[in-house]
Amino acid sequence: PALFQMSGSQPQMGRGVPCLRCRGLCTGFEPHSWRKICKSCKCSQEEHGLSSELDDDRKIGRLLSDSKYSTLTARLKGGDGVRIYKRNRMIVTNPNISGKDPTFDTITYEWAPPGLAQKLAMQYMELMPRELQPVAGTDGALHRRRRLARQLPLYDQDPAQCRGLAEGEQRLMEEFVKKYKAEALGVGEVALPGQGGCGKEEEKPQDKSIEPGRAPEPPNGALESAPAAGHYRCETCKQPVPGDCPVVYADRAGYSRQWHPACFVCCRCAEPLVDLIYFWKSGAAWCGRHYCESLRPRCAGCDEIIFSEDYQQVEGLAWHKKHFACLECETLLTGKPFTLANASLLCTTCSQSR
């Protein structure tokens, strides 16, 4: 079920929230004018606490709306037509009979694959490393939300969140987003081997005599021969997939391919794809961040995608020209001497004073 209320249990991102990494050395988040970092300690916004769960659900809702995955979103009452992610939570109640009077232990998963019986969903969770299982109140739930912030930055989909866009570039970004929603964006589906796509009426095989174990044709119409039942292999690790264990399917890859739950990761950073949201390109699944970077450069200063053809490049990194500036004093460095360390620029004066 979709839960649309905010949770007050997580630290909220914003001015005054102390940095988790600096352990008390930073007194509170002081937003920079255009960098996605704290002006005081230079750590990222995520190090000062995460955005609210409602903001996260709004972000994914915006991403999936106007795509073929809009069924995973719902209109927010009083939200002026805004769509919100119908994040599937799973609550598992286990009886505890060790004591004299039986009690019940309740475990809440902040996210679980939608549309599954609880038994299959639990099998999926058990195939994930324990530290990645998004159980409420654990590091696994926190790790999920950190991956969400990292893999799907809001400024990769919403021009209104960008400060690096010059006049006329908003339309370029809108077209960029529209194109990736139509051609690359996907949400993985969890099913048993050979059963991917069978939950969607339009993707069921029309031939009633189709043999068991054969996958339906992929939605792009390409002919792919599925392996015989019992001979499925994971696309990432190439190891066999047991017939009674759930796997992940990516409809843009075709239903002859499947992944172990722990193997459905970004081909660039190898991080598990948050909530199974992927971008398909060159025969592989990418996280949103690295997919966008594979098409256009990302500014090392403001972390936004660059839509101008006129930008600064140094040692494989890119900057908006107006963001090619010293990390400390903000002096523009085009045509001036500078040092580069850990993707941060420093003028010669600030470099020597460190």
Side-chain angles (χ1 to χ4, degrees), residues 12 59 70 75 112 122 179 211 256 267 291 293 295 315 343:
Q12 301 306 301
K59 178 173 72 172
S70 60
R75 290 197 184 279
M122 280 303 301
K179 186 176 175 67
E211 65 266 25
S256 63
C267 68
Y291 171 80
E293 289 177 12
L295 300 178
E315 295 185 10

Side-chain angles (χ1 to χ4, degrees), residues 84-149:
I84 192 168
Y85 180 39
K86 293 192 296 186
R87 176 165 50 94
N88 184 52
R89 277 183 163 181
M90 181 170 66
I91 300 175
V92 179
T93 303
N94 298 312
N96 182 356
I97 56 175
S98 58
K100 183 177 180 181
D101 297 318
T103 57
F104 294 92
D105 295 327
T106 300
I107 301 173
T108 299
Y109 291 86
E110 294 291 353
W111 172 86
L116 298 182
Q118 190 175 94
K119 181 181 178 182
L120 193 60
M122 280 303 301
Q123 275 187 283
Y124 169 89
M125 289 299 178
E126 289 164 2
L127 290 170
M128 295 295 292
R130 182 169 294 276
E131 65 271 16
L132 296 181
Q133 295 176 15
V135 176
T138 69
D139 286 344
L142 183 62
H143 189 69
R144 170 192 166 266
R145 299 188 63 214
R146 285 186 177 277
R147 278 185 289 132
L148 196 157

Side-chain angles (χ1 to χ4, degrees), residues 15-202:
R15 185 184 297 273
V17 177
C19 179
L20 303 177
R21 178 180 291 179
C22 293
R23 298 184 181 278
L25 297 178
C26 173
T27 56
F29 182 68
E30 183 181 353
H32 190 277
S33 57
W34 49 267
R35 297 184 196 269
K36 307 296 188 293
I37 61 172
C38 173
K39 194 173 182 179
S40 174
C41 70
K42 307 298 189 294
C43 289
S44 69
Q45 289 181 340
E46 289 75 31
E47 297 297 339
H48 291 79
L50 295 166
S51 56
S52 72
E53 289 185 9
L54 180 61
D55 285 340
D56 287 348
D57 290 343
R58 284 178 184 269
K59 178 173 72 172
I60 302 182
R62 179 188 177 95
L63 176 66
L64 300 181
S65 64
D66 303 321
S67 79
K68 63 179 182 176
Y69 305 96
S70 60
T71 54
L72 295 175
T73 69
R75 290 197 184 279
L76 185 63
K77 289 183 179 180
D80 298 325
V82 172
R83 301 194 73 87
I84 192 168
Y85 180 39
K86 293 192 296 186
R87 176 165 50 94
N88 184 52
R89 277 183 163 181
M90 181 170 66
I91 300 175
V92 179
T93 303
N94 298 312
N96 182 356
I97 56 175
S98 58
K100 183 177 180 181
D101 297 318
T103 57
F104 294 92
D105 295 327
T106 300
I107 301 173
T108 299
Y109 291 86
E110 294 291 353
W111 172 86
L116 298 182
Q118 190 175 94
K119 181 181 178 182
L120 193 60
M122 280 303 301
Q123 275 187 283
Y124 169 89
M125 289 299 178
E126 289 164 2
L127 290 170
M128 295 295 292
R130 182 169 294 276
E131 65 271 16
L132 296 181
Q133 295 176 15
V135 176
T138 69
D139 286 344
L142 183 62
H143 189 69
R144 170 192 166 266
R145 299 188 63 214
R146 285 186 177 277
R147 278 185 289 132
L148 196 157
R150 177 72 180 164
Q151 295 181 14
L152 302 171
L154 186 56
Y155 41 87
D156 277 11
Q157 56 165 299
D158 184 359
Q161 301 295 321
C162 297
R163 295 181 177 177
L165 293 177
E167 187 176 352
E169 291 176 3
Q170 178 167 336
R171 182 181 55 81
L172 292 175
M173 182 174 180
E174 289 171 348
E175 291 174 355
F176 178 79
V177 172
K178 184 177 181 181
K179 186 176 175 67
Y180 75 52
K181 284 189 179 187
E183 298 180 2
L185 174 65
V187 180
E189 172 191 344
V190 177
L192 291 174
Q195 296 182 15
C198 293
K200 301 175 184 176
E201 197 65 39
E202 68 272 17

